[in-house]
Amino acid sequence: MLYRSSWTELCRLASSYVGSRDIAQDVVHEVFRRLLERLERSSSLRINRSYLRHAVRKEALHWLERRRIRLNWRERAAHAAANTLGPSPADELHARTLAVELNAAVDALPPRCRQAFSLVRIENGTYADAARTMGISVKTVSEHLRRAHSLLRERLAHYAPDT
């Protein structure tokens, strides 16, 4: 009898929290299911409309919290999946554009700077190896690299993050 007489009021209350009539009905059903379990264990339980409203409000808030947690985990999973899929097409385009501009910037370096840069930075050689190959001192290789880095930094400044 209590179920029938309070059903509509409790569904409206639950719906005001969860925003869905169907979910509100599930919330009210869950409250009554738990209530029946408690009545089976204890016959001294006093139930009135105030108790039912409180129980429905609590269950609706609990449902919202579970939904928030599920959405948070879905968002994390989607983010993780996006990161495992590799770079986006926009990122790939940006990387290709940067590679083309970097190659053009290296090609535009003065010949000795370009040679020192290529031997040390591209071929991963040592300063001493570059000095032997170029027939110059290690200090001069260092100076060519300093100049190459300065020119590249200047030419590719628009790719540097704002500081």
Side-chain angles (χ1 to χ4, degrees):
M1 191 161 130
L2 185 61
Y3 178 83
R4 285 189 198 122
S5 67
S6 58
W7 172 257
T8 305
E9 175 192 357
L10 295 176
C11 283
R12 247 184 304 201
L13 175 64
S15 183
S16 72
Y17 284 98
V18 298
S20 164
R21 187 175 145 237
D22 293 335
I23 294 169
Q25 289 175 353
D26 290 344
V27 166
V28 174
H29 276 293
E30 181 62 21
V31 167
F32 276 101
R33 186 193 64 77
R34 286 186 184 168
L35 184 60
L36 286 173
E37 282 180 359
R38 289 185 66 196
L39 282 171
E40 287 174 359
R41 286 181 273 152
S42 169
S43 61
S44 64
L45 188 61
R46 292 187 180 252
I47 302 167
N48 58 30
R49 286 187 186 273
S50 177
Y51 175 87
L52 287 174
R53 283 192 299 271
H54 177 73
V56 166
R57 178 182 173 277
K58 189 174 176 182
E59 182 63 29
L61 292 173
H62 185 66
W63 182 88
L64 289 170
E65 179 64 14
R66 287 190 315 264
R67 184 185 71 172
R68 184 189 63 77
I69 290 169
R70 280 192 308 271
L71 290 174
N72 189 10
W73 277 105
R74 282 185 194 146
E75 199 174 285
R76 284 184 184 186
H79 181 70
N83 287 340
T84 59
L85 294 176
S88 70
D91 290 341
E92 287 182 12
L93 179 63
H94 181 73
R96 278 192 235 124
T97 304
L98 177 58
V100 167
E101 286 198 38
L102 179 59
N103 287 334
V106 169
D107 289 343
L109 290 172
R112 299 296 270 178
C113 289
R114 182 176 55 245
Q115 185 181 13
F117 185 83
S118 177
L119 289 169
V120 174
R121 297 292 180 235
I122 297 174
E123 297 176 19
N124 294 320
T126 64
Y127 281 43
D129 291 339
R132 269 192 301 281
T133 301
M134 294 175 70
I136 56 177
S137 71
V138 172
K139 180 74 174 158
T140 306
V141 169
S142 177
E143 188 56 33
H144 283 306
L145 284 172
R146 184 201 59 73
R147 186 166 178 223
H149 289 151
S150 176
L151 292 168
L152 291 172
R153 203 171 10 262
E154 187 178 300
R155 175 132 185 212
L156 301 171
H158 57 283
Y159 281 99
D162 294 335
T163 55

